[in-house]
């Protein structure tokens, strides 16, 4: 990695990347060792997504994820990140009540967990006011429109959003209102690439796509999906760059066979008493 690449990524440096057409690389992480891999591999943004609930904690969706769970995992990620910008995902019901509660929750990501900003799903009128209040309280906020998994019970299923004219218009409108509310970037999830391209051209702040095609200013994927370390269904937009599930299953099977067969531990993995010094 070049010396320049090792400078810590900041909110303003993301804006510079957009302006100089340098793609922004983002991935999720939820623990120290994977965050260390991402940071050392030069990922720009580590998002501690509430996808944590599904890929790490085994929940059916992201709704049960709590603030305490998010803070616990964000702390571990922040301990590993030297260069990457760590963003904490505000879980369901952490920003749905009053301004005071929202700011108190968002500030925990910065004060307790070492994150440099938070991400918030949606762009309702109330949400936009809360986002503006968080920005006013010096909390950098990333927006998230298109498919917003915390709305699963409204949406019914995870599928592409903005495929028709009316839906596309609504998503464009939300993205622009988020920019006006002060977000430093907008995640576009599961939208047609043509719409993502138009939003990317119109917005001054960077767009980060997931299932939104190549025209966004950056890309994000869930680490466990791209590493082949998740068991569930993977949508079309996920490219698997490794097969960690297979690698680890084979390793654990071999370990079990070796323990059962008396092959492990062998002498090279075994301690012996110190030899007595010769008289
Ligand atoms: O929770 C998450 O990981 C996310 C990304 C998929 C954008 O919101």
């Amino acid at each position: 990695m070049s010396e320049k690449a090792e400078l810590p990524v900041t909110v303003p440096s993301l804006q510079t990347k957009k302006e100089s057409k340098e793609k922004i690389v983002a991935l999720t992480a939820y623990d120290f060792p994977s965050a260390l891999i991402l940071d050392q591999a030069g990922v720009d943004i580590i998002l501690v997504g509430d996808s944590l609930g599904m890929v790490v904690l085994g929940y059916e969706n992201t709704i049960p994820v709590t603030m305490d769970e998010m803070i616990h995992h964000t702390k571990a990620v922040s301990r590993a990140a030297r260069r990457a910008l760590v963003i904490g995902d505000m879980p369901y019901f952490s920003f749905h009540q009053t301004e005071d509660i929202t700011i108190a929750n968002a500030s925990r990501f910065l004060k307790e967990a070492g994150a440099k900003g938070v991400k918030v799903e949606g762009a309702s009128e109330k949400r936009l006011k809360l986002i503006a209040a968080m920005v006013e309280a010096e909390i950098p906020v990333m927006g998230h429109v298109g498919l917003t998994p915390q709305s699963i019970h409204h949406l019914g299923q995870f599928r592409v959003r903005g495929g028709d004219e009316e839906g596309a218009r609504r998503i464009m409108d939300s993205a622009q209102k988020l920019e006006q509310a002060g977000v430093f970037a907008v995640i576009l999830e599961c939208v047609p690439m043509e719409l993502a391209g138009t939003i990317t051209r119109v917005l001054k702040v960077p767009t980060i796509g997931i299932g939104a095609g190549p025209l966004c200013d950056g890309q994000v994927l869930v680490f466990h999906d791209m590493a082949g370390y998740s068991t569930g269904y993977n949508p079309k937009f996920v490219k698997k760059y490794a097969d960690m599930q297979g690698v680890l299953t084979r390793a654990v099977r071999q370990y079990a066979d070796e323990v059962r067969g008396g092959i492990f531990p062998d002498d090279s993995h075994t301690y012996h008493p110190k030899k007595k010094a010769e008289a």
Side-chain angles (χ1 to χ4, degrees):
M1 209 187 297
S2 72
E3 228 172 79
K4 184 168 172 257
E6 281 164 13
L7 287 174
V9 178
T10 60
V11 165
S13 74
L14 294 176
Q15 188 62 41
T16 307
K17 283 184 199 295
K18 170 159 184 141
E19 284 155 20
S20 57
K21 299 205 180 314
E22 187 189 334
K23 292 280 187 187
I24 296 165
V25 181
L27 277 175
T28 69
Y30 319 97
D31 60 31
F32 184 84
S34 50
L36 206 57
I37 291 171
L38 268 51
D39 194 64
Q40 292 178 353
V43 166
D44 300 313
I45 300 174
I46 304 181
L47 171 66
V48 189
D50 65 349
S51 49
L52 158 80
M54 296 171 80
V55 292
V56 173
L57 301 179
Y59 298 143
E60 196 180 323
N61 53 47
T62 57
I63 301 300
V65 177
T66 64
M67 268 304 296
D68 285 344
E69 285 166 341
M70 289 305 303
I71 294 296
H72 178 73
H73 286 268
T74 306
K75 280 182 180 175
V77 167
S78 294
R79 283 180 210 119
R82 291 284 158 270
R83 174 183 173 271
L85 188 79
V86 176
I87 301 298
D89 206 359
M90 300 274 293
Y92 174 66
F93 224 62
S94 66
F95 55 96
H96 300 69
Q97 302 174 78
T98 64
E99 193 175 298
D100 286 351
I101 294 174
T102 300
I103 292 176
N105 282 328
S107 64
R108 286 187 67 194
F109 280 99
L110 276 64
K111 287 172 77 76
E112 289 176 42
K116 304 292 192 308
V118 300
K119 177 173 82 61
V120 174
E121 288 185 14
S124 66
E125 287 308 317
K126 178 175 174 186
R127 197 78 38 92
L128 292 164
K129 283 197 188 109
L130 293 171
I131 289 171
M134 284 188 269
V135 173
E136 203 280 324
E138 314 298 354
I139 301 166
V141 180
M142 179 184 261
H144 182 161
V145 292
L147 173 60
T148 47
Q150 290 174 12
S151 317
I152 179 63
H153 298 312
H154 265 313
L155 304 176
Q157 55 175 324
F158 294 144
R159 63 171 176 80
V160 178
R161 319 304 300 181
D164 59 6
E165 232 174 82
E166 168 58 16
R169 198 195 49 71
R170 251 187 284 120
I171 293 171
M172 166 61 88
D173 188 51
S174 295
Q176 286 183 292
K177 285 183 173 157
L178 282 169
E179 180 168 86
Q180 282 156 20
V183 300
F184 69 87
V186 179
I187 299 258
L188 301 176
E189 179 163 354
C190 264
V191 300
M193 94 171 208
E194 292 75 7
L195 173 61
T198 309
I199 295 174
T200 301
R201 264 198 320 279
V202 168
L203 293 197
K204 290 189 187 66
V205 297
T207 60
I208 314 284
I210 173 162
L215 303 177
C216 299
D217 297 306
Q219 298 291 327
V220 62
L221 282 176
V222 169
F223 172 71
H224 289 61
D225 292 345
M226 64 77 72
Y229 192 20
S230 51
T231 45
Y233 155 81
N234 270 337
K236 168 181 171 152
F237 64 77
V238 171
K239 179 169 176 183
K240 258 170 85 166
Y241 287 83
D243 175 26
M244 290 314 295
Q245 187 77 22
V247 167
L248 292 175
T249 302
R250 282 190 293 279
V252 171
R253 283 211 178 109
Q254 186 179 347
Y255 165 75
D257 287 347
E258 291 192 4
V259 169
R260 290 188 182 114
I263 296 167
F264 177 83
D266 62 8
D267 203 50
S268 69
H269 297 99
T270 302
Y271 298 109
H272 296 290
K274 274 187 187 149
K275 287 207 177 84
K276 275 200 187 123
E278 305 237 337

